[in-house]
Amino acid sequence: MPLSVNTGASGPGQLSGWLQVIAIVLLLPVGGILGALTGFVPMSPIFSVLLPLAAATYFLRRDGRRWRQLAFGRTLSGSQHLGFAALALVVVYAGVIALSIVLGLLGLPGADYSLLQQLIQGELAMYLWFLLPVSWGSAAIGEELLARGFLQYRLESMTGAAAAVVLQATIFGLAHAYQGLSGILLTFLVGLVFGTVYLK
């Protein structure tokens, strides 16, 4: 079942669509660098999401579409929303635990969160910055709009639904490369589950 909603507007061609995906991927680190240049560490993850979100918004508007059409294209009841959310959380938690065990058996270290721990340990203000605007803002909302929203939508129009889910999860995983190989694999799994649930 396609993610997109027919608005009467035509989407980009294959080349333009791939260029948009590449632009979003490249803007992730560019935003992070620009945020770091402010000298305030939380701005790096915030800018790394805001900059590509701005570009994705421009691409959508150029095609005559809005974010609402990607996020709320189908009318679901409150219980259906809760059901899908609960399903995603259960599968993600079970999958992360299982994959962590496998990675441990293979001798791979766990995901590396040491940089974040160094920044927030004993620093309440920094902890709150990373908890609220970073975790809940740029990560929980911004990353979902980018990965399961724009990227999955755009990739689906060029590759089909299944490939779009896998590709957006791959991009999502690689965007967390600072967490090491285990972090990439774990966030890939999260992206795969969320992308599949969103698709269904």
Side-chain angles (χ1 to χ4, degrees):
M1 192 173 232
L3 293 174
S4 56
V5 177
N6 186 5
T7 61
S10 60
Q14 286 281 325
L15 177 60
S16 178
W18 282 112
L19 289 174
Q20 289 179 17
V21 169
I22 291 168
I24 296 300
V25 170
L26 292 177
L27 286 173
L28 290 167
V30 170
I33 292 168
L34 291 175
L37 291 176
T38 67
F40 187 54
V41 177
M43 289 297 107
S44 183
I46 291 173
F47 277 39
S48 70
V49 172
L50 283 181
L51 193 59
L53 265 180
T57 301
Y58 167 75
F59 295 144
L60 286 172
R61 288 182 179 256
R62 196 173 68 175
D63 296 339
R65 289 179 167 81
R66 300 292 183 264
W67 283 106
R68 175 170 288 278
Q69 293 168 292
L70 305 186
F72 305 108
R74 296 181 187 81
T75 301
L76 298 177
S77 68
S79 61
Q80 287 175 313
H81 277 294
L82 289 175
F84 279 120
L87 173 65
L89 288 175
V90 168
V91 174
V92 160
Y93 276 109
V96 164
I97 290 169
L99 182 56
S100 296
I101 292 171
V102 170
L103 293 174
L105 292 173
L106 293 174
L108 292 172
D112 183 5
Y113 305 112
S114 59
L115 178 60
L116 178 60
Q117 289 171 340
Q118 292 170 12
L119 290 169
I120 66 174
Q121 190 167 5
E123 298 288 339
L124 178 60
M126 190 64 72
Y127 169 77
L128 292 174
W129 264 98
F130 274 94
L131 177 65
L132 299 173
V134 175
S135 295
W136 285 102
S138 66
I141 298 172
E143 288 182 3
E144 290 305 308
L145 285 171
L146 277 175
R148 263 62 68 189
F150 181 80
L151 287 174
Q152 188 164 320
Y153 161 76
R154 183 60 77 230
L155 288 164
E156 185 183 357
S157 69
M158 300 180 296
T159 66
V165 170
V166 173
L167 287 170
Q168 65 78 25
T170 301
I171 293 168
F172 187 63
L174 291 173
H176 293 81
Y178 63 91
Q179 296 176 5
L181 178 58
S182 292
I184 292 173
L185 295 174
L186 290 169
T187 50
F188 168 80
L189 174 64
V190 170
L192 201 61
V193 172
F194 285 178
T196 300
V197 170
Y198 177 61
L199 177 67
K200 294 299 180 183

